Amino acid sequence: MSVATLPALIQRFFTDRLCTQLEASRHTVAGYRDTFRLLLRYASAQRGKPPVKLTVEDIDADLVAD
């Protein structure tokens, strides 16, 4: 079993879930995009890692609550 990286999981969420399964509007996709962008910037600053180096474990409930 391969472990998917955080960027791969986020990309799959946008392409498979939002666009294909839900057929979300471009406005909905843009809203999610902007939210993820803010979260990843914040997580990057808090964890001291560039966004591409963040892992799923870096995005925990405490970080999201902060």
Side-chain angles (χ1 to χ4, degrees):
M1 179 177 179
S2 65
V3 176
T5 64
L6 183 60
L9 289 171
I10 292 172
Q11 182 177 4
R12 191 175 336 153
F13 171 75
F14 276 91
T15 58
D16 292 346
R17 182 73 176 146
L18 286 181
C19 295
T20 304
Q21 294 177 11
L22 298 178
E23 298 179 354
S25 74
R26 64 185 177 92
H27 299 290
T28 299
V29 173
Y32 275 95
R33 178 203 62 211
D34 295 344
T35 301
F36 272 105
R37 184 178 289 156
L38 290 170
L39 175 63
L40 292 174
R41 284 183 184 164
Y42 180 74
S44 176
Q46 292 298 310
R47 301 295 190 231
K49 297 180 182 181
V52 297
K53 296 288 186 183
L54 291 170
T55 64
V56 173
E57 291 78 19
D58 290 325
I59 313 293
D60 59 13
D62 290 333
L63 179 111
V64 174
D66 287 344

